[in-house]
Amino acid sequence: MHSSPTTPRALRAVRLGLVALLALLVLVPIASPTAAHAEDTVGISAQPADAAGRPDGRTSFRYQIDPGQRVDDYFLVSNTGTADQAFTVVATDAFNDGEGDYALLATGESPEQIGTWVTFENGANRIEFTLGPGQSRVLPFTMQVPADATPGDHVGGVLASVITPGEEVNLDRRVASRLYARVAGDLQPRLAISGIDGSYNGDWWNLLSGTTTVHYTVSNPGNVALSANASGEVRTWFGIPVDSASGGSIAELLPGNSATYEIAVSGVAQLGYLNAEVVLHPFVDSPDAAAQLPVSPVSRDTPLVAVPWLLLIVFLLLGAVFGFRAWRRRADQKRAEAWMEYTEAEAKRKAEADLVGAGTRSSE
């Protein structure tokens, strides 16, 4: 078999095309702009430590202390990111936010309570420094309790902050360890339910099932930070229990703070009158057994109405039926009485007419 004269040329063209394509694949990465590196990540780690800078297993700073006493401790800060990071470490005050959760003042806000008791090696309650990737720094600090400090729990935090510039706003990344100082003296652990109201929700046609929701505000008028377990119970006429439910745990409420919560009790029938009660069992949320204190339970109730709409509608319909029947009886009786009066009047008139006619005939 003889090959075509064009076959070698076609093969050479294919080989040249493959070579050109291979060269293009090799050269394109060289000629194109250098691929961008992955964006640097920001990472922060901060925790209590010992003097050698080793984490000691604590998750917070907790002290039982006397007025005027001094405490020395250590805070370990690490850069777990991939670029240099400028840190600001601050001792500040804590509060309960709108959800009742533990929160700390903004990084730039000046504390007024326990945050002012802490000083770092620069003599201030905040210090700034830069750490490279993977670097750590142990920060010694001193907490000097004022001689006139009031008894009870003073709560704040030691936090490490890294601010990252953004297109519109700066992002403040923060990691903190809680700071508790219980100053010796007259401890008054107590919670109060300072406000409560309830509502009932259910299908109008379902007499046997609905939900009672109780909103209540808990305040801490004492001087000890307290958490609590909450429960709700619904009673009806003569104090008869209807149903109950757990309200879960209330996060730690700091002295002088308050927050609003709710409990929903389901499966409550439309019994007309209901009384919803909330019961709190406060406790000190601390791993230190020496910090535990006995705290009395607190409760409060509120009345509410669960209208049995189906029964009400039935009664209204029955009332309408009986009312209509009574009206009909009265109307029929009135018509019968009127008819009797009419027939009597007609008979009397006819009798009188007959008498007059008879008299006329006799005279003739």
Side-chain angles (χ1 to χ4, degrees):
M1 178 181 294
H2 297 285
S3 62
S4 170
T6 60
T7 299
R9 287 195 296 270
L11 292 175
R12 282 196 299 273
V14 170
R15 282 197 290 269
L16 288 174
L18 292 174
V19 171
L21 178 61
L22 179 62
L24 182 63
L25 293 174
V26 173
L27 292 175
V28 164
I30 298 174
S32 63
T34 303
H37 294 289
E39 291 186 2
D40 292 324
T41 60
V42 177
I44 310 171
S45 173
Q47 56 196 309
D50 59 20
R54 296 184 297 264
D56 54 13
R58 290 180 295 169
T59 58
S60 59
F61 298 103
R62 294 178 181 268
Y63 314 108
Q64 297 200 45
I65 198 166
D66 295 322
Q69 187 177 346
R70 167 179 166 167
V71 174
D72 296 316
D73 215 328
Y74 303 90
F75 190 51
L76 178 64
V77 179
S78 303
N79 179 355
T80 60
T82 59
D84 292 351
Q85 294 178 167
F87 285 83
T88 299
V89 177
V90 183
T92 190
D93 299 337
F95 63 96
N96 290 106
D97 63 15
E99 302 298 322
D101 296 325
Y102 168 95
L104 295 173
L105 299 178
T107 303
E109 190 172 349
S110 298
E112 298 180 357
Q113 300 295 325
I114 192 173
T116 63
W117 301 358
V118 176
T119 55
F120 296 102
E121 56 195 42
N122 62 349
N125 73 326
R126 68 176 55 223
I127 187 170
E128 298 178 355
F129 54 88
T130 299
L131 292 177
Q135 290 185 336
S136 299
R137 179 173 174 177
V138 59
L139 296 173
F141 67 85
T142 297
M143 186 178 72
Q144 179 66 56
V145 181
D148 60 351
T150 57
D153 289 342
H154 299 262
V155 186
V158 182
L159 67 87
S161 166
V162 172
I163 297 178
T164 304
E167 295 182 0
E168 298 183 0
V169 295
N170 294 334
L171 177 62
D172 188 359
R173 293 179 170 87
R174 312 198 308 175
V175 176
S177 293
R178 298 189 184 192
L179 174 64
Y180 295 83
R182 177 170 292 177
V183 179
D186 181 19
L187 299 180
Q188 300 176 5
R190 64 191 185 96
L191 295 180
I193 301 176
S194 54
I196 185 171
D197 66 85
S199 61
Y200 181 87
N201 295 289
D203 297 320
W204 66 268
W205 47 265
N206 191 342
L207 294 174
L208 302 178
S209 182
T211 300
T212 297
T213 303
V214 181
H215 298 271
Y216 61 100
T217 300
V218 182
S219 59
N220 187 342
N223 58 12
V224 175
L226 294 172
S227 299
N229 292 320
S231 62
E233 185 172 9
V234 177
R235 295 184 175 88
T236 187
W237 306 96
F238 311 110
I240 298 174
V242 176
D243 210 336
S244 61
S246 170
S249 297
I250 291 177
E252 187 174 60
L253 199 60
L254 307 182
N257 285 253
S258 63
T260 299
Y261 308 90
E262 73 172 39
I263 293 179
V265 182
S266 58
V268 179
Q270 299 172 5
L271 298 170
Y273 167 76
L274 297 174
N275 186 274
E277 181 182 37
V278 173
V279 181
L280 302 181
H281 295 274
F283 61 92
V284 177
D285 188 9
S286 171
D288 185 3
Q292 303 300 322
L293 294 168
V295 191
S296 299
V298 60
S299 64
R300 188 169 176 180
D301 59 15
T302 181
L304 59 145
V305 176
V307 179
W309 290 108
L310 187 58
L311 287 179
L312 183 60
I313 292 171
V314 170
F315 288 147
L316 288 175
L317 290 175
L318 290 175
V321 170
F322 285 117
F324 177 74
R325 292 182 64 183
W327 174 81
R328 284 293 303 270
R329 282 197 300 267
R330 289 193 298 269
D332 291 344
Q333 184 177 358
K334 287 181 179 180
R335 283 196 295 269
E337 291 174 352
W339 176 252
M340 290 180 65
E341 290 178 359
Y342 171 76
T343 54
E344 289 176 357
E346 283 295 310
K348 184 178 180 181
R349 183 185 61 79
K350 187 175 181 181
E352 289 177 350
D354 291 343
L355 288 173
V356 171
T360 302
R361 286 194 298 271
S362 62
S363 64
E364 292 177 352

